[in-house]
Amino acid sequence: GKSQFIDKISNYNKQYYQDVLTKTYDRRYYEEYVINMNNIITLAIIDANGFKEINDHFGHAAGDEALKKLSKAIKDCIRKDDYLIRYGGDEFILVFQDIEYGDFKMLLNRISDDVQLSVSIGGMYNINNIDEALAYADKLMYQGKKKHKKLL
């Protein structure tokens, strides 16, 4: 009856907004839903370091495998109500609702410790405007990447 129909719809929605490779939400979900959420206070951008090198040296299948592992590792670190979105290529956005600053920092540290791949993370806490926050987090993440590059 009706409840099966509703299950079908929500399942369809999930697939419609799902990144096929990583089973995370996709960019469309971010653009259609997340931007309009009003109780988001916190987001982070996570970007795999040296991802291009993985693709160039080991091929795209290896790159895909690395992204799958990365998204699974991130999912294992976060709470089930947090949103992990593949924003493009090797870049993920993590969106939190109702999280204390201490927990936010702890989660981001856990991600950078637990994930096998080297990642750069830019995080923003207490956001008013999600677009501005994203741009700022992006900037922080790139500063982290530059530091990372110098080390290599």
Side-chain angles (χ1 to χ4, degrees), residues 41-45 96 101 104 108 122-129 132-138 140:
I41 46 168
T42 308
L43 66 78
I45 294 181
F96 303 91
Y101 185 67
F104 173 59
L108 295 188
M124 277 291 293
Y125 191 78
N126 272 350
I127 294 164
N128 295 321
N129 176 309
E132 280 170 29
L134 190 61
Y136 189 69
D138 209 36
L140 289 175

Side-chain angles (χ1 to χ4, degrees), residues 73-108:
I74 296 170
K75 276 186 194 164
D76 288 345
C77 292
I78 61 179
R79 309 165 308 173
K80 70 173 181 15
D81 299 339
D82 301 328
Y83 298 86
L84 180 60
I85 299 152
R86 185 178 178 200
Y87 195 64
D90 59 343
E91 189 170 65
F92 293 85
I93 296 176
L94 198 44
V95 176
F96 303 91
Q97 293 171 301
D98 309 320
I99 189 169
E100 298 289 323
Y101 185 67
D103 293 338
F104 173 59
K105 282 191 74 160
M106 197 181 70
L107 273 178
L108 295 188

Side-chain angles (χ1 to χ4, degrees), residues 3-66:
S3 71
Q4 262 180 324
F5 180 64
I6 289 169
D7 283 350
K8 269 207 176 99
I9 287 178
S10 62
N11 217 352
Y12 168 75
N13 276 349
K14 224 182 179 136
Q15 285 171 336
Y16 182 71
Y17 289 113
Q18 197 178 61
D19 175 60
V20 178
L21 179 68
T22 58
K23 303 288 186 264
T24 59
Y25 288 107
D26 63 9
R27 188 174 185 143
R28 185 191 296 147
Y29 185 79
Y30 177 83
E31 283 164 1
E32 291 179 17
Y33 270 99
V34 175
I35 283 176
N36 301 315
M37 285 177 179
N38 50 15
N39 56 339
I40 287 179
I41 46 168
T42 308
L43 66 78
I45 294 181
I46 302 172
D47 194 271
N49 295 324
F51 183 70
K52 193 181 166 327
E53 287 71 28
I54 294 175
N55 273 335
D56 292 350
H57 292 194
F58 304 104
H60 285 280
D64 285 355
E65 209 44 52

Side-chain angles (χ1 to χ4, degrees), residues 111-126:
I111 289 168
S112 72
D113 293 344
D114 287 6
V115 164
Q116 301 284 299
L117 221 58
S118 160
V119 292
S120 295
I121 301 177
M124 277 291 293
Y125 191 78
N126 272 350

